[in-house]
Amino acid sequence: MAAQDGVISVGFVAGADLKRAAALEDLPIDSLWTGGHVASRNPSGEAMMSLARLSAVTERVRIGTSILLLPLYAPAIVAKQVADLDRATGGRLVLGVGIGGEYPQEFSACQVPVRERGRRTDEAIGLLRRLWTAQTISHDGPFYPMTDVRIHPAPAQPGGPPVIVAGRKEPAMRRAALLGDGWMPYLYSPRRYAASARTIRQAAADAGRDLSGFEWYAFVFVNVDPDGDRAREEAARTMGGTYNQDFKTMVDSVAAAGTAEEVTGRLRDFVDAGARHFVFMPAPGTGDPDRVVHRLLDEVIPPLRAHGNEQAAARAGDEAAR
């Protein structure tokens, strides 16, 4: 699904307020996202239930999980849930997946050893794609063996929704390169994003995999305020509450917070590093998240999309000259 204007797409984490999610869809954005946990330190919803609720109040935008902790779930259940929701939404789903691990109690509660989470995820991604064919399949993998299983009807999107791999470390990059349809890192600087893109492209090339159609997401905490110092302070407060650590010295490295001009420059650096679809998490501290949303859309996104279009035009010109 194309961006609202050119090559840069914009999405937001919707949160639990469904009225707010419906209002966000009326804005010039491309996607809405929801995440969740089974048993985390902070209260949260569950990702698939949250996605189902989001599907019921949206009609236009792509909706996705950011993220589903795939190793906690039986792939057949996820395949069925996603197929049903993809049909119900007319093929608007995106499945963002990760391996988690920061809350070990989730894994013990779900009877999944933490040390197996990466291998389980690798096996599950391939199995999901086979189950989404709506054909009868058998699978002899070490974690999810099954015989003569057919999950049907199929999702609306041929082959199923895109599977976007989230993470921060090299194993996640390799997972994206070899198994995923896209990459969505978080708490990254533009420099680190560019390095991850190079790693993914090289891993795919080494495996002989064509990345045509691969989607380059960036999950970014954001705060826009006329007072740049206040924006950075509130962003650090929001992130500290989420991750239970002090972000005051790191906020400039792993978020986009400041004045509209500062945030535009920061996000332009992400575009130059290869990001094309932003998933924004407003980080207003004690402030109003919708104020951040509107400042971002009114003051930051137009010049950012113009920059993306200029980049695309320059690349097209270079290709035509060859």
Side-chain angles (χ1 to χ4, degrees), residues 3 18 23 65 86 91 106 140 180 224 242 244 257 263 267 293 301 309:
L18 296 183
T65 50
D86 196 50
E106 290 191 291
D140 63 357
V224 186
T242 299
N244 196 30
V263 173
L267 297 179
V293 169
I301 299 305
N309 291 339

Side-chain angles (χ1 to χ4, degrees), residues 273-287:
R276 293 295 178 267
H277 195 142
F278 289 95
V279 178
F280 291 117
M281 170 64 89
T286 57

Side-chain angles (χ1 to χ4, degrees), residues 3-12 27-30 218 220 222 224 256 259-268 270-271 276-281 292-310:
Q4 286 289 323
D5 180 20
V7 300
I8 303 302
S9 296
V10 173
F12 287 94
L27 300 175
I29 67 173
D30 305 282
V220 181
V222 63
V224 186
T259 65
E261 183 178 26
E262 289 170 332
V263 173
T264 300
R266 180 70 165 176
L267 297 179
R268 186 182 294 120
F270 271 103
V271 172
R276 293 295 178 267
H277 195 142
F278 289 95
V279 178
F280 291 117
M281 170 64 89
V292 174
V293 169
H294 287 285
R295 282 175 176 155
L296 189 70
L297 292 176
D298 292 344
E299 303 175 43
V300 174
I301 299 305
L304 184 70
R305 282 183 162 151
H307 177 69
N309 291 339
E310 290 170 2

